[in-house]
Amino acid sequence: MKISIIYLFLLLLVGLTGCELDNFEPPKSTFEGRLVYQGEPLLIQSANVAVANNSDFPVFLELWQKAYNNRSSIRIPIKQDGTFSSLLFDGDYKLIVPNGQGPFLWKRTAANTPDSLDIKIQGSKTMDIEVMPYYMLRNPKISNNARKITGTVSLEKVITDAANGKTVERVSLYVNKTQFVDAGNSLNKADLAGADIKDLANVTLTTGELPALVPSQGYVFARIGLKITGVEDMIYTPVQKITL
Amino acid sequence: MKKTILSLVALFSLTTGCKDDAEFLNIKSTNILLVDEVYSDPRLVLSAATDLYNRIPDLVEPANFGIMASFDEAFASGDYGRHQNREYSYDDWSLWDYGYIREINLFIERVNAATRLSAADKARFAAEGRFLRANAYFELVKRMGGVPLVTESLTYDYSGDASYLRKPRAKESEVYDFVISELEAIKSILPKTPNEKSRATYGLALASKVRAALYAGSIAKYGVNTPTVSLPNGEVGIPATKATAYFQTALTSAQELITSGQYSLYQKAPDLSTNFANIFLDKANNPEVIFVEDYKLQSGKIHSFALDNQPRAITEEGERGGRLNPSLNLVQSFEKLDNSFAPLAINKGTPNDYIYYDKPEDLFADRDPRLQGTVLVPGAIFKNRPIDIFAGLVLANGSILSGDQLGQLKPVNGVSVQVVGLSGPIEGYDGSAQGGFYMRKYNDPVTGSGQIGTQSEVWNVRYRYAEVLLNAAEAAFELGQSAVAAGYLKLVRDRAGLTKALTPGEVTFDRIVHERKVELAYENHLLWDMKRWRLAHVVWDGSNSDLTTQPGKATEPSTRVYSLWPYKVYNPGGANHNKWVFRKVLSGRVTQSHVFRLGNYYSRITDAIINNNPTIVRNPNQ
């Protein structure tokens, strides 16, 4: 009996002390910034992140640390306001935008793989990443009229050449109870197909009447999104709080 | 004298002594069989083959039923995370099991090199090895696109440089061509024994070939709808010009199997729904089933489908059961007996303007009998007992009275009344029928199957004749032979119990998609079908659209699972007392709409694989 208690205590002791030599310093350097076009942030779909599922983000960047032979990417999700932030070890990294990510063009190499950007992390770093979006959404105005939400926006085609330019698939106005408002999270919406848009500079959408909100609240959030033909990720205007 | 004897004894013991050391240590093991011992006895070779059969990768099977709720066929009553993820991970459904491929290659090589097996045994085992390998590559190409084709066992020479073992990815079409040609080559070596369900047969080789050719054909044809889902060297994507040839191969092989007369549709039970359910339960002379993963009680190979999916009202094991609830999305897809599509008639426009039914099952009476062969609807009987699904009472004033415990009693006007079914549904109550339905397909009706100590031996049907007919119909339709397609569809639909045949003009792409959806629900087809038709990103498009009102249309979004909750009218003396009404419900647990991204069409090849073999290119859009 005595022996087993002693053993138990010994085990407990081992468990409590652990091995100090194995412990690494945690990463401490913050790498943060925004996706921008000429200094203006690019707004996208909100991330609905599942635990342990790191390719689950609508748009993400990849960082590759150069120091090691066995390489595996670090994925950095972009938030709906266009910002990102990641805790990293100091070192030299390469940043890429993987294929098919984001409503923008990313430079490509001669071998048609995504071009990379050298990033040196030495302490925290803030950096805006300049990208070339297909379109920009300008002058969004969203208003409420008898529980019908109306939005107007002007679409500016940024990439105009025939090879890379894309047409508009649709413009949508989304309304939700929370600030997470996009194609996947909406209470009410209005769609306008690209073919029905007469003037890109002046697009107007109006939703149907909002249903009663349960529990009731006197405001909603809204934003306008643009779906580009053949591009998965949409571009959004800033989220606006609308008082009903 | 004594001395002489002693010295003789001493001499004797010296001369015998110990054996040679090498010989002494060389004792035959009693518990390890060496390779050449195994490959000298057909029974031992069969056990080696059995291990390889046992390791066939299936994504969806009764033993792994959780994934059946990942799309839009079912609500996961307990595993709510499946409805709270928006994106599917690029890593989902991935497979990269070259250890398995290597062992199959070794198996084939060792069988071919065996000297003490009869020629007939060698031929059959080698053909089975080639089937398993073709099947493994088919599984790989479905999930990952073109993969390195390794058809012999690779051996490392310990030189410090393993790069000579690296193989680049083959084209997607090359992998399909390999699968098709292997199956063609072995079909006549394999025995024509339709009652053999667990091993490769002539019928299986053909059925598998039909499926592979059809998949390749539709990827070639519908790949144009997703031009970015391709790689420049063809590792992903098949040129559209190859479509016709693949469809022709599929049709020809299907017709070869059909005319061989080895299999026929299962038609034994007079009740059509029971007959449909029995396809999966009847192991005695089942003429339809071609290839299964078999299970057997008390053998260690059992699964928990019945344990986890028994209706809660009649559960045999405490709090277990009811985990998978078929969705209203699937249920309303079953067409009406006049071949038309319509949402279920539950109200006259607004949710509270109910249509009243005498019995809950009356709502489903005019539907395809396969509905009730696939799904236990409210009012159904299972294991000879009512499954008791109702969400609450509708009182005289129109208000709803419900409870938070299964089968709860509450006083109404002084009388104690049951206000919720013994199977629920109760929002958030794990295992209650939150989708409004329970599973019938694959659900074992044998008493005891719901007990932890017994469980179920219902087999996992991988290939059955009805699918071959549907594949033949689809291939014929794609080749413009609508009359032929209508003929094959008629066989399947007649057996199902639909009495009105489709005319060749009525056979459309939507019809083909629909027929597979209802005939093959929960049978490991949905994901692969949606992928090869390039419909996955259209149907699971991330929009939070309402339940479609056109269930027969292939391109309608279906991103969230809806439930159908039955209520009992409680109004003693009123005209509708004890009648049943229904409400369409979106569970509060369904918080996100599924989005299938273009990068999901082919699963991610991990960085670790690419580190080991830098010649591997990444899949598109990831």
Side-chain angles (χ1 to χ4, degrees):
Chain A
M1 191 63 196
K2 252 186 197 162
I3 288 175
S4 63
I5 287 174
I6 289 168
Y7 273 126
L8 271 178
F9 270 109
L10 274 175
L11 270 175
L12 192 71
L13 201 69
V14 170
L16 284 177
T17 51
C19 320
E20 210 147 305
L21 280 178
D22 277 355
N23 289 345
F24 284 97
E25 280 277 294
K28 279 189 300 201
S29 304
T30 312
F31 174 52
E32 59 186 355
R34 298 178 301 172
L35 281 186
V36 294
Y37 169 63
Q38 295 177 347
E40 276 189 70
L42 216 58
L43 311 180
I44 49 143
Q45 167 97 36
S46 67
N48 161 48
V49 183
V51 179
N53 186 356
N54 62 0
S55 63
D56 216 11
F57 315 119
V59 182
F60 58 88
L61 310 173
E62 278 184 359
L63 275 184
W64 299 76
Q65 196 169 4
K66 290 199 225 169
Y68 306 102
N69 279 330
N70 266 343
R71 289 188 187 154
S72 140
S73 58
I74 301 165
R75 291 180 206 165
I76 307 179
I78 312 288
K79 293 181 200 147
Q80 68 172 3
D81 57 0
T83 62
F84 62 86
S85 119
S86 181
L87 269 183
L88 298 169
F89 291 111
D90 285 347
D92 290 325
Y93 293 85
K94 273 182 184 289
L95 179 146
I96 65 161
V97 178
N99 293 325
Q101 292 301 321
F104 49 80
L105 268 190
W106 184 253
K107 278 194 223 73
R108 305 190 72 81
T109 62
N112 201 30
T113 54
D115 201 0
S116 61
L117 208 62
D118 282 319
I119 309 274
K120 191 176 180 66
I121 303 286
Q122 194 85 55
S124 292
K125 183 180 181 106
T126 304
M127 181 177 159
D128 284 351
I129 295 168
E130 184 75 22
V131 295
M132 185 68 120
Y134 292 98
Y135 286 85
M136 282 300 278
L137 303 180
R138 304 288 189 193
N139 307 319
K141 290 192 188 69
I142 303 177
S143 60
N144 161 45
N145 180 16
R147 295 179 73 84
K148 290 178 184 168
I149 310 294
T150 300
T152 58
V153 71
S154 156
L155 309 182
E156 180 198 331
K157 193 165 185 176
V158 177
I159 301 174
T160 47
D161 63 298
N164 293 317
K166 307 255 186 198
T167 55
V168 173
E169 184 177 320
R170 78 184 136 79
V171 178
S172 301
L173 169 63
Y174 298 106
V175 183
N176 203 9
K177 290 201 292 189
T178 69
Q179 57 151 328
F180 297 102
V181 47
D182 45 48
N185 305 287
S186 70
L187 196 67
N188 209 345
K189 63 172 179 176
D191 290 326
L192 189 61
D196 299 335
I197 297 175
K198 293 185 184 67
D199 180 9
L200 284 184
N202 187 12
V203 180
T204 306
L205 300 136
T206 305
T207 67
E209 201 174 308
L210 275 178
L213 303 181
V214 185
S216 74
Q217 63 183 41
Y219 53 90
V220 288
F221 296 88
R223 59 175 176 163
I224 300 169
L226 164 67
K227 173 83 171 71
I228 303 155
T229 314
V231 178
E232 237 165 28
D233 300 307
M234 295 172 67
I235 307 179
Y236 290 90
T237 63
V239 177
Q240 284 186 32
K241 186 172 175 179
I242 310 287
T243 311
L244 293 175
Chain B
M1 190 61 194
K2 261 185 191 169
K3 263 188 188 169
T4 325
I5 290 172
L6 267 179
S7 54
L8 270 177
V9 168
L11 191 70
F12 190 65
S13 59
L14 274 175
T15 48
T16 52
C18 315
K19 281 187 187 171
D20 190 352
D21 268 3
E23 221 175 301
F24 173 71
L25 291 171
N26 192 7
I27 293 175
K28 197 170 158 3
S29 164
T30 53
N31 60 358
I32 295 174
L33 289 165
L34 301 176
V35 168
D36 50 344
E37 286 170 333
V38 172
Y39 290 87
S40 59
D41 182 338
R43 291 167 302 175
L44 293 176
V45 183
L46 180 59
S47 38
T50 305
D51 170 55
L52 298 175
Y53 275 113
N54 200 28
R55 288 160 61 187
I56 290 178
D58 290 310
L59 183 71
V60 182
E61 52 179 330
N64 177 26
F65 62 83
I67 199 167
M68 292 176 187
S70 282
F71 306 101
D72 58 347
E73 285 185 328
F75 179 82
S77 187
D79 190 8
Y80 308 112
R82 295 195 184 270
H83 311 295
Q84 297 169 354
N85 274 352
R86 184 175 154 77
E87 276 86 15
Y88 295 107
S89 166
Y90 292 146
D91 300 288
D92 283 353
W93 324 306
S94 73
L95 178 71
W96 199 268
D97 195 353
Y98 275 88
Y100 181 51
I101 299 270
R102 175 182 164 77
E103 287 187 39
I104 298 173
N105 282 329
L106 282 173
F107 175 82
I108 297 170
E109 286 161 15
R110 286 166 178 170
V111 165
N112 283 332
T115 49
R116 290 170 61 193
L117 292 176
S118 72
D121 279 342
K122 276 176 77 165
R124 182 176 181 190
F125 283 129
E128 284 188 284
R130 287 169 75 182
F131 166 77
L132 287 162
R133 187 172 60 189
N135 186 64
Y137 275 113
F138 187 13
E139 199 66 31
L140 280 167
V141 73
K142 274 195 311 195
R143 303 182 190 210
M144 317 302 289
V147 292
L149 270 176
V150 182
T151 54
E152 56 189 9
S153 61
L154 301 177
T155 309
Y156 177 49
D157 60 7
Y158 294 96
S159 62
D161 176 19
S163 58
Y164 71 100
L165 294 172
R166 288 171 179 159
K167 284 199 169 192
R169 298 175 68 180
K171 290 182 180 174
E172 189 172 19
S173 60
E174 286 170 348
V175 180
Y176 276 109
D177 290 344
F178 171 76
V179 171
I180 292 167
S181 69
E182 283 286 287
L183 293 168
E184 173 62 25
I186 60 172
K187 71 172 185 199
S188 27
I189 307 173
L190 290 168
K192 291 192 176 181
T193 48
N195 278 325
E196 175 67 75
K197 309 293 190 195
S198 296
R199 292 177 70 180
T201 56
Y202 166 79
L204 173 60
L206 276 175
S208 190
K209 185 182 161 199
V210 175
R211 195 191 277 178
L214 184 69
Y215 278 27
S218 31
I219 290 168
K221 177 165 182 195
Y222 297 105
V224 294
N225 297 338
T226 51
T228 58
V229 184
S230 64
L231 288 173
N233 294 325
E235 292 91 347
V236 163
I238 299 177
T241 48
K242 295 194 175 185
T244 310
Y246 281 125
F247 286 132
Q248 191 59 57
T249 306
L251 183 59
T252 315
S253 307
Q255 283 170 335
E256 183 184 343
L257 181 57
I258 292 164
T259 47
S260 79
Q262 296 221 321
Y263 298 90
S264 61
L265 292 173
Y266 185 92
Q267 271 163 320
K268 288 191 187 175
D271 177 66
L272 291 163
S273 299
T274 305
N275 184 65
F276 189 70
N278 283 357
I279 297 170
F280 306 90
L281 307 174
D282 187 354
K283 293 189 180 182
N285 292 318
N286 189 320
E288 173 162 350
V289 166
I290 298 174
F291 185 50
V292 301
E293 178 177 17
D294 209 349
Y295 290 83
K296 189 163 170 52
L297 290 184
Q298 298 176 341
S299 72
K301 186 146 174 95
I302 51 174
H303 61 77
S304 69
F305 190 89
L307 170 65
D308 286 323
N309 287 297
Q310 55 192 328
R312 283 300 302 268
I314 56 171
T315 180
E316 296 173 344
E317 195 69 72
E319 292 284 306
R320 295 293 286 266
R323 302 297 287 204
L324 201 59
N325 304 160
S327 66
L328 179 56
N329 309 41
L330 177 70
V331 169
Q332 72 161 6
S333 299
F334 287 85
E335 70 208 87
K336 296 166 91 165
L337 289 171
D338 62 2
N339 296 357
S340 70
F341 295 100
L344 292 165
I346 54 173
N347 60 48
K348 299 171 193 152
T350 56
N352 289 328
D353 195 0
Y354 300 118
I355 296 176
Y356 295 88
Y357 290 90
D358 291 337
K359 286 180 291 181
E361 62 268 33
D362 290 352
L363 173 62
F364 314 97
D366 63 343
R367 297 265 161 175
D368 183 340
R370 282 176 291 188
L371 168 59
Q372 296 201 44
T374 307
V375 167
L376 292 171
V377 301
I381 304 286
F382 192 64
K383 297 185 182 179
N384 296 320
R385 291 167 67 190
I387 59 172
D388 200 23
I389 296 174
F390 73 96
L393 300 179
V394 178
L395 301 179
N397 62 3
S399 68
I400 285 174
L401 178 66
S402 189
D404 54 9
Q405 290 163 36
L406 301 180
Q408 194 172 17
L409 302 173
K410 279 189 181 173
V412 183
N413 300 332
V415 187
S416 181
V417 190
Q418 185 187 347
V419 297
V420 61
L422 285 164
S423 292
I426 297 167
E427 169 96 28
Y429 194 116
D430 296 2
S432 74
Q434 293 180 65
F437 306 95
Y438 277 138
M439 291 289 293
R440 183 164 190 197
K441 195 179 261 190
Y442 282 128
N443 210 347
D444 195 343
V446 173
T447 306
S449 61
Q451 294 173 5
I452 285 179
T454 314
Q455 304 197 26
S456 175
E457 62 177 3
V458 169
W459 56 18
N460 167 28
V461 177
R462 288 168 169 149
Y463 283 88
R464 61 186 176 100
Y465 187 58
E467 187 220 336
V468 176
L469 291 173
L470 292 182
N471 290 349
E474 184 178 342
F477 168 75
E478 296 290 5
L479 291 167
Q481 305 173 21
S482 291
V484 179
Y488 291 132
L489 281 178
K490 183 177 186 319
L491 294 174
V492 176
R493 291 166 62 85
D494 280 358
R495 187 277 299 271
L498 291 157
T499 45
K500 218 170 124 192
L502 294 174
T503 63
E506 286 171 330
V507 178
T508 58
F509 178 68
D510 283 357
R511 270 286 170 191
I512 301 272
V513 171
H514 160 78
E515 205 61 45
R516 293 181 73 89
K517 185 177 195 171
V518 296
E519 174 76 28
L520 304 172
Y522 306 113
E523 288 180 56
N524 197 10
H525 287 282
L526 178 71
L527 175 65
W528 316 121
D529 281 348
M530 297 312 256
K531 277 169 61 155
R532 69 187 172 90
W533 291 322
R534 298 294 190 253
L535 279 179
H537 74 288
V538 177
V539 172
W540 302 316
D541 67 346
S543 68
N544 56 350
S545 39
D546 201 357
L547 185 66
T548 176
T549 52
Q550 304 175 74
K553 203 171 159 208
T555 52
E556 283 292 288
S558 176
T559 54
R560 296 182 295 178
V561 285
Y562 282 83
S563 309
L564 183 75
W565 283 14
Y567 292 85
K568 212 190 279 190
V569 178
Y570 185 80
N571 182 14
N576 290 322
H577 180 56
N578 274 346
K579 288 198 175 177
W580 292 79
V581 298
F582 296 87
R583 293 177 76 95
K584 182 185 90 176
V585 176
L586 179 65
S587 166
R589 299 296 192 273
V590 180
T591 57
Q592 280 289 348
S593 332
H594 290 313
V595 57
F596 188 100
R597 293 171 290 172
L598 291 172
N600 286 120
Y601 271 105
Y602 293 92
S603 300
R604 190 164 181 269
I605 299 174
T606 63
D607 294 334
I609 294 166
I610 296 176
N611 273 320
N612 289 340
N613 180 358
T615 64
I616 302 272
V617 292
R618 289 173 81 153
N619 271 332
N621 305 308
Q622 300 178 0

